[in-house]
Amino acid sequence: MKERRLPYNFLLLNTFLWFVCTFSLSGQTVEIKDIRGLPLVGVEVFTEDLSFGEISDREGKVNIAGLDTSAILYFRFLGFREQIIAIGDLEKMGFGVVMESVDQLIDEVVILGRKEISQSEIPFQIRSISVEEIQSTQAQTSADALAQHGGVFVQKSQMGGGSPVIRGFEANRVLLVVDGIRLNNAIYRNGHLQNAITVDHAILEKMEVIFGPNSLIYGSDALGGVVNFQTKDPKFATNSEQQPSTANYYTTYATANSERSLHFDYSKGWKKLGVLTSLSYRVFGDLRSGNNRDERFPEFGKRNKIQVEDNNGNDLFIENEDPNKQVGTAYNQFDFLQKVVFRPNINHRIGANIQFSTSSDVPRYDNLNEIHNGQPRWAEWFYGPQRRFLGAVDYRHLASVSLYDQLILIASLQRIDEDRNSRRFGNQLLSTQEEDVNVLGFTLDAAKNLLNDKLKLEYGADIQHNLVSSTAFDTDIRTESIVPNQLTRYASDENEMTNVGGYLFLRGKINEQTTLSTGLRYAHSSYFLKYDRQDPVDWPEEFYQGIEGSNSALTWSIGGTLATENGFQLRSIISTAFRSPNIDDLSKIRVNNVEITFPNLNLQPERSFNGELTLGFQNSLFENISLTGFYTRLNDAITRRPYTGPGGETQWLTQGDTLNIVANQNIDEGEVYGLSMNLSMSISEALSYTASFNYTEGREISPTGEKSPLAHIPPVYGQAGIQFSKSRWSTDFYLRFNGSKPLSEYGGSADNPELATPIGTLAWTTANIYSKFELSPLISLSLAVENILDKHYRTFASGVSAPGRNIILSVRGTL
């Protein structure tokens, strides 16, 4: 009997163990890390026959459920050596894979142009902002997140905006990119640009700030730098049975402007198809500024009186019950994103991307504060709903063919509605300027590895065609009658602009420590403008016939990186860059304070010569310590200067105001130079310290060699912070600071000297604390207090004071 039971027990035990092992493997997850133990995101894991293909998630994990134990997996990641491992060997390795960098220098992978590249190969300064960083400070907009984390100065004319300034360049000299698509269009202006907030920060995977000129990869407009927004992608299932779905949400309340924000996104994936939907809605009340003012200027920034209408529609200027409440800043915003990605196998990817952002009316707070002879100049001044639509289709092919190893094609359509509405105090006519912009774009990017991966060739081409419609009319607010054919912001009949370019870029490994890169780009820009004979201005005859023009540029760069074994790093680049004048530069008509800007169709492209040098160091204590110096020499820089109208007049009379005529003009030369310092160190496993410091100077240079201040140059600014994280609790404390800037250093009307104190911009420092507690793996609670001491301050060139003490409460979770 015993002899019979022994085989039965043996069989039972082996059957049980077989089921345990099979069950264990079916739910097994592979963890992929670099040699430092950090998770690698975006590693391609696939079988030879491509019957299985997956991308590692944010934690570097890939689920291999359902695969046979005899299967062989390929692990591929940009900048790392490919690995081929049998599942049986993975079991022996504890299902952990360590990938080795080709460069033997592990660094973050960033997006340059539309391709991934190891940050160690980039010869210029770049700052990557993760989704965790964006969430940690509970920023209200993308512009706020840039100011808090990106080493970027942000100007605000109203609360519903944020204009990034990078190395003294702003607006249409800074290129905004989302998912590889240029946001800059033909009417991006050269003053202060508030469009960054139309990108929903709640659905970003990360943001990257590329400092310095990047015309080679991106083309025109990237004189100061590039802000690259990357939205999240849907995830895929590992087999047809598994359909991962993820739902994320958060809600926020902030006291400074009674912010109420709600976000929800949902992602579902199959083996070859992934879908992602995102919705965000935010309501912002009037912003309260800080109460603790500089004793020299106790009234600065107070909103003592406000404009209201009585029951009969008459304008009144009455006392504001709370002078710190900046009445005329409230607005709300809605954002939508939809992505669908089809991946038939690991080598092919087709995606559709739809983004839509709209707002309520957004008051222009700086204009509402204009006072003439004791009365407000404007009863109303607001942007109509700001709408941005983006529809794009992209195709990506990873395969080693004769012409490329990687190919990326993107076709896009954008539509932007930008309306301005203003009404004089005591006047019943509401003036409206409506601008509609349609942008068709196409980009091609390819890369090929040569000489056993020691040399990489990248090349590409792009085209962007802009169609701009500009109309203007007045509306009687009492009778609702319309008066057409008013003075438009741009040419009243036709506005077209086309930008075409192509580039060639080489990057090679000289040895294990040194990388050199060089490249060329050719760009061509053309425009056509035509004015309507019904315009209220008698333009020259050629304006009615239509004016066309074009310009071109050949730019180049050469740079290199050096990383020694003991942690020292050197990055250096010299380059040329350009910016073609767009429709806004050429033909804008705009009233600003006591000036009116008139068209000047004789503008030439801005060109620059640039140099940059970065010294850095890394070890177990210092995650990063770096010092960057930069210098840019501008030729034909575009700036506003006194001008004459069509009849030779120097002043223009409109609605009872006599305005000085100015126009955009090319000055002879300019220079911008400065330095930035960054420090990041790990004091212990739970404690870290970060700091940044930015200094910029800019000068116009006359033909006689005389120098005067250049516009858009911020004062010294930066921040320092301590971050503590242990178990489920984290707390960050930051000091943010700005230096002063005297009026004598302002660069003219673009710096809004009338909005500063009588001596200019005041220095300020704020203390801020952010805490987060994970109630469970699926839900967390965040509490923050910004501007703890309730300091009143207004950032350089801004028209609205910054928030006072601001208590922020957020709940974030996953369903």
Side-chain angles (χ1 to χ4, degrees):
M1 296 289 292
K2 289 182 179 180
E3 291 182 4
R4 292 179 181 178
R5 285 197 298 268
L6 281 174
Y8 173 79
N9 291 338
F10 181 79
L11 179 62
L12 185 62
L13 177 63
N14 276 274
T15 302
F16 173 75
L17 291 175
W18 182 85
F19 272 110
V20 169
C21 292
T22 303
F23 176 79
S24 176
L25 180 60
S26 68
Q28 190 56 260
T29 298
V30 180
E31 293 189 49
I32 310 169
K33 299 180 180 180
D34 62 29
I35 61 175
R36 297 178 299 180
L38 299 177
L40 291 177
V41 182
V43 178
E44 299 169 355
V45 183
F46 55 95
T47 56
E48 187 174 16
D49 61 1
L50 301 180
S51 60
F52 170 84
E54 184 57 52
I55 304 293
S56 62
D57 62 19
R58 198 179 299 165
E59 298 177 349
K61 296 180 179 180
V62 171
N63 193 326
I64 60 171
L67 290 180
D68 190 270
T69 55
S70 62
I72 296 176
L73 291 177
Y74 289 72
F75 296 80
R76 180 193 294 170
F77 192 48
L78 178 71
F80 289 75
R81 290 189 175 89
E82 183 175 278
Q83 294 195 35
I84 305 173
I85 307 173
I87 288 185
D89 293 331
L90 275 176
E91 290 185 76
K92 298 175 184 179
M93 298 163 59
F95 292 95
V97 176
V98 178
M99 298 190 71
E100 182 183 358
S101 169
V102 173
D103 308 320
Q104 295 184 355
L105 175 64
I106 305 300
D107 212 334
E108 186 173 4
V109 172
V110 297
I111 302 295
L112 186 62
R114 284 151 288 275
K115 297 181 293 296
E116 294 180 335
I117 179 174
S118 174
Q119 193 167 1
S120 63
E121 299 180 7
I122 298 175
F124 43 80
Q125 185 184 3
I126 187 168
R127 171 75 168 95
S128 184
I129 308 166
S130 67
V131 63
E132 290 79 14
E133 290 178 282
I134 296 172
Q135 293 176 359
S136 68
T137 54
Q138 304 168 63
Q140 293 189 345
T141 68
S142 294
D144 291 337
L146 284 171
Q148 292 170 346
H149 300 287
V152 174
F153 184 88
V154 173
Q155 181 274 351
K156 289 191 175 186
S157 297
Q158 66 273 347
M159 188 174 66
S163 183
V165 183
I166 303 178
R167 292 186 177 175
F169 292 94
E170 186 181 1
N172 56 20
R173 291 170 170 173
V174 170
L175 182 63
L176 304 182
V177 177
V178 61
D179 295 332
I181 301 166
R182 292 168 55 101
L183 292 182
N184 291 45
N185 57 57
I187 67 168
Y188 265 38
R189 53 192 179 273
N190 63 0
H192 308 290
L193 195 70
Q194 313 296 326
N195 299 61
I197 70 167
T198 65
V199 177
D200 183 11
H201 62 291
I203 197 60
L204 291 179
E205 185 64 40
K206 64 177 176 178
M207 297 189 295
E208 289 169 348
V209 181
I210 302 171
F211 294 85
N214 275 276
S215 290
L216 182 68
I217 300 297
Y218 291 99
S220 179
D221 298 353
L223 282 181
V226 179
V227 178
N228 189 9
F229 301 102
Q230 298 173 47
T231 61
K232 295 178 181 178
D233 279 330
K235 295 181 179 180
F236 293 89
T238 54
N239 56 55
S240 57
E241 285 73 38
Q242 289 183 315
Q243 299 177 4
S245 61
T246 304
N248 303 294
Y249 67 90
Y250 79 78
T251 181
T252 299
Y253 178 79
T255 60
N257 56 1
S258 300
E259 175 200 3
R260 287 92 73 199
S261 293
L262 181 63
H263 168 80
F264 177 81
D265 64 77
Y266 177 76
S267 176
K268 190 172 182 62
W270 292 265
K271 185 177 180 181
K272 297 182 179 181
L273 184 69
V275 179
L276 172 66
T277 303
S278 171
L279 300 165
S280 296
Y281 183 66
R282 301 176 180 90
V283 177
F284 303 103
D286 289 319
L287 179 64
R288 180 192 173 277
S289 66
N291 188 54
N292 294 323
R293 288 173 167 79
D294 188 302
E295 60 183 11
R296 295 171 296 176
F297 308 102
E299 295 299 311
F300 177 64
K302 286 186 177 180
R303 183 88 150 109
N304 291 313
K305 287 189 173 184
I306 57 175
Q307 301 95 318
V308 297
E309 288 185 31
D310 64 17
N311 295 331
N312 297 320
N314 298 313
D315 292 325
L316 302 176
F317 198 38
I318 66 172
E319 295 294 327
N320 184 8
E321 294 180 357
D322 181 2
N324 289 323
K325 187 176 183 180
Q326 300 175 97
V327 177
T329 52
Y331 77 103
N332 57 63
Q333 183 169 325
F334 171 77
D335 295 286
F336 168 79
L337 177 142
Q338 180 68 61
K339 280 189 174 183
V340 179
V341 179
F342 175 63
R343 193 181 64 185
N345 54 54
I346 199 68
N347 292 327
H348 297 270
R349 179 189 186 277
I350 302 172
N353 185 350
I354 296 176
Q355 299 176 24
F356 178 71
S357 176
T358 187
S359 71
S360 64
D361 293 340
V362 180
R364 180 70 185 264
Y365 183 75
D366 56 347
N367 286 343
L368 292 176
N369 271 330
E370 282 189 51
I371 303 297
H372 286 198
N373 300 320
Q375 293 290 318
R377 184 178 185 183
W378 306 101
E380 300 178 81
W381 211 118
F382 59 93
Y383 292 103
Q386 293 189 108
R387 296 189 181 97
R388 179 182 69 88
F389 169 83
L390 165 67
V393 177
D394 66 89
Y395 169 71
R396 299 167 191 264
H397 185 210
L398 295 175
S400 184
V401 298
S402 58
L403 292 179
Y404 60 82
D405 297 324
Q406 181 183 19
L407 175 69
I408 302 174
L409 304 174
I410 303 177
S412 62
L413 168 66
Q414 298 181 68
R415 179 178 174 86
I416 300 94
D417 296 336
E418 192 171 287
D419 304 336
R420 293 167 175 82
N421 304 270
S422 59
R423 183 173 64 84
R424 291 299 186 93
F425 189 81
N427 193 318
Q428 62 192 52
L429 288 181
L430 177 69
S431 298
T432 300
Q433 292 179 319
E434 294 183 345
E435 274 69 54
D436 297 326
V437 186
N438 290 281
V439 186
L440 295 172
F442 179 79
T443 61
L444 179 153
D445 296 276
K448 180 69 178 177
N449 291 318
L450 306 170
L451 303 178
N452 295 321
D453 294 342
K454 292 184 178 180
L455 182 66
K456 188 165 188 175
L457 170 66
E458 299 178 10
Y459 58 93
D462 51 77
I463 181 170
Q464 189 183 55
H465 182 64
N466 290 255
L467 295 170
V468 181
S469 170
S470 186
T471 59
F473 55 89
D474 288 346
T475 304
D476 191 309
I477 61 172
R478 295 182 179 176
T479 66
E480 297 185 355
S481 60
I482 294 177
V483 182
N485 301 322
Q486 298 302 302
L487 196 60
T488 57
R489 185 174 176 86
Y490 305 112
S492 50
D493 196 344
E494 294 182 48
N495 297 270
E496 293 188 31
M497 188 169 191
T498 303
N499 296 313
V500 182
Y503 71 91
L504 186 70
F505 190 70
L506 279 172
R507 185 171 64 254
K509 298 288 295 183
I510 304 303
N511 52 46
E512 293 298 328
Q513 297 178 332
T514 308
T515 301
L516 292 180
S517 59
T518 186
L520 289 171
R521 180 183 181 92
Y522 175 77
H524 180 80
S525 178
S526 61
Y527 65 85
F528 177 78
L529 307 173
K530 187 178 180 182
Y531 289 77
D532 196 300
R533 292 186 181 275
Q534 295 183 346
D535 278 2
V537 179
D538 292 328
W539 301 114
E541 180 60 28
E542 59 266 27
F543 281 35
Y544 302 125
Q545 298 298 324
I547 301 172
E548 57 185 356
S550 64
N551 54 70
S552 59
L554 181 67
T555 58
W556 55 268
S557 76
I558 181 169
T561 64
L562 172 66
T564 65
E565 293 181 356
N566 56 5
F568 286 97
Q569 300 173 6
L570 173 68
R571 306 169 192 259
S572 181
I573 187 172
I574 57 173
S575 65
T576 59
F578 79 102
R579 189 184 75 82
S580 297
N582 62 15
I583 299 297
D584 186 89
D585 296 308
L586 294 162
S587 66
K588 177 173 64 181
I589 302 172
R590 175 205 181 213
V591 174
N592 180 35
N593 201 18
V594 296
E595 295 179 344
I596 182 169
T597 303
F598 262 37
N600 178 12
L601 304 182
N602 298 314
L603 290 176
Q604 299 299 313
E606 297 179 300
R607 303 174 189 271
S608 69
F609 175 83
N610 319 278
E612 178 179 330
L613 177 67
T614 297
L615 300 174
F617 178 71
Q618 288 179 316
N619 63 12
S620 58
L621 175 62
F622 294 102
E623 295 181 1
N624 173 54
I625 179 170
S626 65
L627 173 65
T628 300
F630 59 89
Y631 179 86
T632 295
R633 187 79 172 192
L634 278 170
N635 291 312
D636 294 324
I638 296 175
T639 187
R640 288 198 294 268
R641 287 291 179 265
Y643 197 63
T644 56
E649 65 276 13
T650 60
Q651 292 184 322
W652 183 261
L653 181 64
T654 177
Q655 296 185 355
D657 288 336
T658 301
L659 305 174
N660 299 318
I661 297 176
V662 298
N664 289 321
Q665 300 177 54
N666 295 107
I667 63 172
D668 291 311
E669 288 183 331
E671 61 181 2
V672 179
Y673 55 91
L675 59 87
S676 64
M677 293 183 285
N678 292 276
L679 171 65
S680 177
M681 59 186 298
S682 295
I683 301 173
S684 69
E685 202 171 296
L687 194 64
S688 60
Y689 175 79
T690 59
S692 65
F693 175 85
N694 301 274
Y695 165 78
T696 310
E697 285 286 350
R699 289 290 183 265
E700 290 184 12
I701 305 174
S702 71
T704 61
E706 295 180 358
K707 295 184 178 183
S708 58
L710 193 66
H712 304 287
I713 306 297
V716 168
Y717 67 96
Q719 68 177 22
I722 296 176
Q723 300 83 36
F724 174 81
S725 179
K726 192 170 182 65
S727 185
R728 296 185 294 168
W729 184 276
S730 64
T731 298
D732 301 340
F733 178 80
Y734 289 99
L735 290 176
R736 299 191 178 104
F737 62 88
N738 266 217
S740 62
K741 188 179 181 74
L743 286 180
S744 59
E745 287 296 308
Y746 277 48
S749 61
D751 286 346
N752 299 324
E754 72 280 1
L755 301 177
T757 72
I759 63 172
T761 298
L762 304 178
W764 55 266
T765 301
T766 63
N768 314 269
I769 190 168
Y770 305 90
S771 293
K772 175 185 174 182
F773 181 72
E774 293 183 358
L775 300 174
S776 75
L778 299 179
I779 188 169
S780 64
L781 180 66
S782 297
L783 178 65
V785 184
E786 295 180 323
N787 193 1
I788 296 172
L789 301 179
D790 203 27
K791 174 76 172 179
H792 179 273
Y793 66 99
R794 180 174 292 184
T795 54
F796 166 68
S798 293
V800 61
S801 296
R805 185 182 297 113
N806 188 24
I807 301 173
I808 311 170
L809 179 64
S810 293
V811 177
R812 188 180 299 271
T814 300
L815 300 176

